[in-house]
Amino acid sequence: MSSPPSASASSSPPPCPKKMITLRSSDGATFEIEETAALQSKTLENMIHENCASTLIPVPNITGEVLARVVEFCSKHAEAGVDDESLGAWDEEFVAVDHTTLFDYIRAANFLEIPTLLDLGCQTVADMIKGKTPDEIKKTFKITTACTPEEEEEVRGENQWAFE
Amino acid sequence: MAINACDSLSPSLPLSLSPLLMLPLDKDEVGHGCRLFSLKDKTALALRGFPETFSDSRCVGSSDGWLVLLDKDSEPYLLDPIRGGRVLRLPPVETFPCVLQVLRRDDDDDGRGSAAFYEAVHLKRLRTTALLPLRTLREYIISKAVLSASPYDQDDDEGNSCWVVAIFGSESKLAICGSKDFGGGGAWTELTGKHAPYSDVMFYYGTFFALGNDGFVEVWDFNRDHPIKLMEIKSSFPQKSAEAARVLRNLCFTNTYIVEAAGEILLLVRFAGYFVNEHGVPVEEDDLLTDEDIRPLVCPYRTLYFHVYMLDMNSEEWVGLDSIGERAVFVGGSHSRSVSVRDFPEFEGNSVYFTDDNWDPAEHDDLYGGHDMGVYSLQSGKVKEICEVGSDKIEPPPFWVFPSDYPSK
């Protein structure tokens, strides 16, 4: 629990030092994120709420390169006074990356439970899939593993709704 | 036998060994403990003086007079409420297969953990890793735990004479530990069965029964150094209940239990309405708020009725029962048990006494919970209250406590 601000005699209260959370990527790089920005992540919010965020938080399976960008995303979305239009434009630029990086963003957003980034990433991938045939999708995402005809039948059967 | 055992107990504790209902202490009562409510005397005995950790623990089982709890750091332990809150630590939570790692605080000398990496499996295929504060991990790690016997019955270091079995993780698999591991060492090991997710587990004199969601029953022998599987009964989940659950899925949720009664194995399917109005009718969430209302109707979840079946070992099927005669069955978060009302006339025969075990984190509500308890009569098909319940959240939720026969030593 954060301590209440002390009642001082001076006319204006001293500025509160910004609380920082430290994250560590899978390749050992550390990143600091302001608590206000960290609240974009439900995982980190829970940790903060339960007083578990004072130590280093390892983020598995996410490299430093990706984690840096994710921290940037959270900070941007926690900024005050940004209008929807410019934020939308910023987001568009953020996801203008190759699909491997896009999947990394989605993985990070999933683990850290960042709904805004998860929605943004998934919507971008969905738009890339929409309207394409299975073969075109395979080419776009460079999918090489083959499905046996039986496996394909099974998945089709389980997902009838998609073909209606 | 009862008289000798009472020498070490508080003199005002009822001499009978009948099932008691564990309730929280009153708000104005000081100390850490609980109340044990006797349906016979309609009085509750307040027990204070439990270790402090009890007040911040989550109860996940009640078996042979002991409670199975998870402390604030999700570490499991046993506590004896009747004998002053004696504690036996169980193997660390980190030894569960789905707990990948516990993060320790840098600044804590005890090395106590703060959060853990918890692996969950979704739709049988997707494996995800979540980072959960240990307090939150408690809601996911163990859904129910039972004991094979009271730890007091232990022989001297001759193997494990008491086992703990827990239904754990997102896949509701089984994990065990033996009394040799009591004291905080050792590890939980997985009991590999084929019918996860499991809905309920129970012991009957050292023979262990695990009920899968599919209705199948796996039987294990725990009367040896290492449990071995005896048989698998391919008794599919009864069609009648499956169909009813499907039809009512927007109104009701179900829970299933396996229990021994007069030498037979019974299956109970509990139907509870998500939102039940004052007339006892389950309503849909959308109907809670009409255009005229300023606030939605307060309709708490409530158990409506049970379907009861008996296992026919020969045909390997669950056969519907209209009556269970002079037996009373007790279900909820506790070890499913039954008694004969000839031995305990304060209970009604042909009835199911139940407590609230709807603790799904997804359904979590801070305002109320723990209230869904009562007695269902198979004869009348109706549910009655067993004791008065306030509207506040009952924390910890009530549990049946079955004081075990105390050894003479």
Side-chain angles (χ1 to χ4, degrees):
Chain A
M1 253 194 316
S2 53
S3 44
S6 50
S8 65
S10 57
S11 50
S12 59
C16 278
K18 295 210 174 95
K19 274 191 90 175
M20 306 295 279
I21 313 281
T22 312
L23 304 175
R24 191 183 63 209
S25 64
S26 57
D27 48 1
T30 55
F31 300 88
E32 287 207 320
I33 178 173
E34 268 181 47
E35 193 176 283
T36 41
L39 294 175
Q40 296 278 311
S41 151
K42 289 210 167 69
T43 303
L44 297 179
E45 189 186 350
N46 283 339
M47 297 282 279
I48 292 165
H49 184 65
E50 297 289 350
N51 273 325
C52 309
S54 52
T55 51
L56 194 73
I57 297 174
V59 182
N61 303 328
I62 310 295
T63 61
E65 207 180 308
V66 173
L67 191 54
R69 295 287 285 151
V70 172
V71 167
E72 222 182 291
F73 180 92
C74 291
S75 303
K76 182 72 185 178
H77 277 249
E79 252 177 50
V82 182
D83 62 288
D84 287 340
E85 227 189 278
S86 42
L87 190 62
W90 192 92
D91 280 351
E92 251 192 72
E93 248 202 73
F94 187 83
V95 288
V97 292
D98 59 82
H99 71 263
T100 322
T101 311
L102 198 53
F103 288 155
D104 283 336
Y105 288 164
I106 292 174
R107 248 194 295 275
N110 183 49
F111 175 78
L112 291 168
E113 285 190 84
I114 307 168
T116 40
L117 183 55
L118 193 61
D119 285 350
L120 179 65
C122 290
Q123 186 62 58
T124 310
V125 175
D127 291 341
M128 286 166 82
I129 294 175
K130 195 156 64 173
K132 291 198 169 76
T133 63
D135 280 328
E136 286 169 342
I137 295 171
K138 271 189 188 167
K139 231 179 261 168
T140 308
F141 294 104
K142 301 190 178 55
I143 298 169
T144 50
T145 50
C147 227
T148 67
E150 291 84 28
E151 285 171 337
E152 197 173 314
E153 242 338 283
E154 193 188 332
V155 175
R156 268 183 204 270
E158 284 176 12
N159 296 287
Q160 269 307 301
W161 59 270
F163 297 94
E164 278 157 18
Chain B
M1 140 188 86
I3 306 217
N4 279 343
C6 276
D7 289 343
S8 50
L9 301 175
S10 138
S12 48
L13 197 72
L15 288 180
S16 73
L17 297 178
S18 84
L20 302 167
L21 185 63
M22 180 184 81
L23 298 169
L25 287 174
D26 275 337
K27 282 205 183 66
D28 43 336
E29 278 175 298
V30 180
H32 308 281
C34 67
R35 282 182 299 148
L36 290 178
F37 179 77
S38 156
L39 268 82
K40 187 170 177 181
D41 319 314
K42 295 264 186 287
T43 53
L45 180 71
L47 299 170
R48 291 176 274 259
F50 286 2
E52 201 180 316
T53 188
F54 179 77
S55 295
D56 211 3
S57 294
R58 178 184 171 95
C59 190
V60 293
S62 166
S63 185
D64 285 85
W66 287 73
L67 301 174
V68 187
L69 302 123
L70 297 170
D71 71 14
K72 65 171 166 55
D73 294 325
S74 198
E75 294 296 348
Y77 66 99
L78 300 178
L79 185 140
D80 181 348
I82 294 174
R83 290 228 228 174
R86 183 183 157 199
V87 162
L88 285 174
R89 299 216 73 91
L90 297 176
V93 70
E94 201 166 7
T95 60
F96 276 97
C98 59
V99 178
L100 304 178
Q101 191 195 348
V102 169
L103 302 180
R104 314 233 160 250
R105 293 182 206 273
D106 295 333
D107 49 358
D108 203 303
D109 291 326
D110 291 333
R112 287 190 79 94
S114 60
F117 285 115
Y118 169 74
E119 190 178 71
V121 178
H122 306 282
L123 305 170
K124 298 197 186 188
R125 291 189 185 106
L126 258 162
R127 230 165 249 285
T128 58
T129 306
L131 179 62
L132 302 174
L134 293 182
R135 188 178 287 274
T136 315
L137 177 64
R138 301 188 303 181
E139 295 173 33
Y140 299 93
I141 184 68
I142 297 179
S143 57
K144 185 176 206 169
V146 298
L147 272 67
S148 61
S150 167
Y152 287 128
D153 295 339
Q154 281 190 68
D155 292 324
D156 316 284
D157 318 298
E158 294 282 318
N160 288 307
S161 49
C162 166
W163 296 90
V164 184
V165 182
I167 303 177
F168 79 95
S170 62
E171 297 172 282
S172 290
K173 297 201 283 196
L174 304 175
I176 65 172
C177 71
S179 45
K180 282 200 293 219
D181 295 329
F182 291 177
W188 289 91
T189 52
E190 194 178 323
L191 188 67
T192 41
K194 291 195 284 179
H195 295 280
Y198 292 95
S199 8
D200 195 15
V201 288
M202 65 105 174
F203 274 99
Y204 182 54
Y205 291 118
T207 306
F208 174 72
F209 296 81
L211 173 71
N213 279 9
D214 52 11
F216 284 29
V217 179
E218 282 173 307
V219 188
W220 299 72
D221 180 6
F222 272 67
N223 286 321
R224 38 184 74 239
D225 289 339
H226 298 283
I228 58 159
K229 193 172 208 182
L230 291 176
M231 63 176 118
E232 177 194 38
I233 304 165
K234 302 179 178 56
S235 44
S236 301
F237 196 83
Q239 185 57 15
K240 171 187 161 200
S241 298
E243 187 53 26
R246 194 192 64 80
V247 166
L248 297 167
R249 66 190 177 284
N250 289 332
L251 296 167
C252 294
F253 58 94
T254 58
N255 224 341
T256 36
Y257 309 89
I258 183 170
V259 68
E260 173 277 335
E264 301 288 346
I265 306 295
L266 304 185
L267 172 89
L268 276 77
V269 187
R270 172 181 189 166
F271 286 80
Y274 287 108
F275 305 96
V276 179
N277 67 19
E278 70 226 2
H279 306 295
V281 177
V283 296
E284 290 203 32
E285 191 169 10
D286 294 335
D287 297 337
L288 290 178
L289 187 64
T290 67
D291 289 333
E292 292 100 50
D293 297 330
I294 313 165
R295 286 188 300 265
L297 292 173
V298 177
C299 291
Y301 58 86
R302 224 182 264 296
T303 296
L304 302 166
Y305 54 84
F306 284 81
H307 286 176
V308 183
Y309 301 84
M310 187 177 84
L311 184 62
D312 181 335
M313 298 276 241
N314 297 321
S315 60
E316 286 193 318
E317 56 179 355
W318 294 108
V319 177
L321 282 186
D322 294 321
S323 167
I324 52 174
E326 42 81 46
R327 302 299 295 197
V329 172
F330 296 81
V331 298
S334 47
H335 195 160
S336 309
R337 286 276 310 265
S338 78
V339 299
S340 162
V341 299
R342 279 203 290 263
D343 298 329
F344 300 103
E346 64 268 32
F347 297 107
E348 281 172 39
N350 205 18
S351 302
V352 181
Y353 287 81
F354 59 90
T355 53
D356 194 327
D357 57 5
N358 176 33
W359 318 317
D360 189 350
E363 310 281 335
H364 205 59
D365 194 313
D366 287 322
L367 298 175
Y368 73 105
H371 57 276
D372 186 21
M373 62 177 157
V375 53
Y376 169 76
S377 156
L378 271 82
Q379 170 125 16
S380 70
K382 295 214 191 314
V383 166
K384 275 194 329 227
E385 245 186 35
I386 34 182
C387 66
E388 227 183 80
V389 156
S391 51
D392 290 337
K393 185 167 184 175
I394 306 176
E395 199 148 48
F399 270 78
W400 295 112
V401 174
F402 281 79
S404 59
D405 296 344
Y406 291 104
S408 47
K409 54 183 167 182

